[in-house]
Amino acid sequence: MHTTKEVAGVSVSGDHWIGGQRVASSSAFEDVSPIDETVIAHIARGGPVEAAMAIAAAEQAFPQWAATPPAERARLLHRVADLVEERIEQLAIVETTDNGALLRSHLRGVMPRVAHNFRFFADYLVNDLHHPEFDTRGHTNRVSWDPSGVAVLITPWNAPLMLATWKVAPALAAGCTVVLKPAEWSPLTASLLADITAEAGLPPGVFNVVQGYGEDVGDALTGDPHVSRISFTGSVPTARLIAMSAAANLTPCSFELGGKSPFIVFADADMDSAVANAVEQYDNAGQVCLAGVRLLVQSSVHDEFVARFVARASALRQGDPRDLATDVGPQISREHFDRIDGFVQRALASGAEAVIGGGPNVDVAAPGRGNLYYQPTLLTGARPGSEVLTDEVFGPVLTISTFDTEDEAVALANGTEFGLAGVLFTGDPDRATRVGARLVAGTLWVNCFFVRDLRAPFGGSRHSGVGREGGSWSFDFYCDVKNTCTNNDRWITP
Ligand code: ADP
């Protein structure tokens, strides 16, 4: 049964996209909007059959795509970017309806970045991917970047199209063909991307989408011997399952996982900037893996910091994410909302206090409709070592703790199993260097937050990830990097 639905005025297919065609499944699942918990679409529930079909289609398309000259691959990816730019408004409203993130952010930042992801990797392929040569006693070693094959890309719901294209664009640029499995809580923009790739002229099978629950399609996608690479963004437990499944074929995996990043404020910092950036940790209703959710503030400025933080956070407007004046929208789902509230209520029951927030925002939702709006929350006094300080909550829940010395700050900052990001505010460049060198993090922001350059590596340390993507690191991952060593004295000249 094929399923196509108007979502926010945009026609979206709920089917898979395999070998350049819409493919239905025998059963479907409901896609619920977090804005009001209504069902907005029915999505094909894929399983091992659809996973195998998509991998076969991608495998069939691979030789031709891999042999397509880089300049032509780049031209097609720029065409994808053109179409994304033409449809920013449609993509933005569908994404907002599907995952509840702010329309304002989608229009101004996220969807333009989706287009940029394609342009960046297209240009990198043509202009920046070097083929170094090393001369060794009359032999030339030449490095080439051979496309590896079929890349399986599994993505989460918090920034669906942005995170998907952060993988799709370099994989396609590298000459791989792709099977994308978007998250079941936000499946729609992947389907719109399929339409775009077809219109842009990508040959059938180069880009495929399989919809469904991770547990239904996961093993089939990640344990298939015809898959050359797996790139996954999501939770640590799922990464473990994928790693075990991939191990049978030794398929290389790139993992970008959770975080519990520290946000460290020294007394010598520019306090206006530190406070403004700290409040930004509520962006996307706190559903950001990179967020600096553990505020660690030097004791001497704690009271001033909290007073200014509360004043600023209290001015945030929570409500319908389609309203351009809204600052904080809903959580993604009832299940996730309850999980967040569980962390908060257990912390409060064991002695923590809510400086602000601490529960649902009952003023926001329309009467009789669902309410997934969780108040921006700041907890103080959480017991050292307690779960709210160590586990990823993935909601608008920050904690605040104090320190006196650099050693204490570093010990607190590094005191979790994660190492995705760190945020450090200080007015002293020597301190920034000294403390920064001791922090475990894939990305460290000093006196700033969320500034991204796609040329730079991105990934996590410890349990926050395996490997790095971005710039040449993405090509390293998606390609088989080959060294050809040639003896220059053995040519036979006629
Ligand atoms: P989150 O907690 O962010 O929802 P998950 O790790 O559960 O993170 O999900 C991220 C992505 O991984 C989703 O697309 C989901 O469908 C997929 N997924 C879940 N379980 C598996 C699995 N066993 N194998 C492969 N992918 C999975």
Side-chain angles (χ1 to χ4, degrees), residues 306-328:
V306 169
R308 291 170 72 169
F309 180 93
V310 169
R312 205 174 171 111
S314 305
L316 292 174
R317 288 180 57 163
Q318 187 162 30
D320 190 320
R322 295 167 296 193
D323 181 341
L324 297 182
T326 295
D327 298 309
V328 182

Side-chain angles (χ1 to χ4, degrees), residues 324-346:
L324 297 182
T326 295
D327 298 309
V328 182
Q331 309 310 134
I332 183 74
S333 70
R334 172 62 48 197
E335 181 186 331
H336 190 60
F337 183 96
D338 290 344
R339 183 178 173 275
I340 293 167
D341 196 41
F343 274 108
V344 172
Q345 299 316 321
R346 288 190 297 276

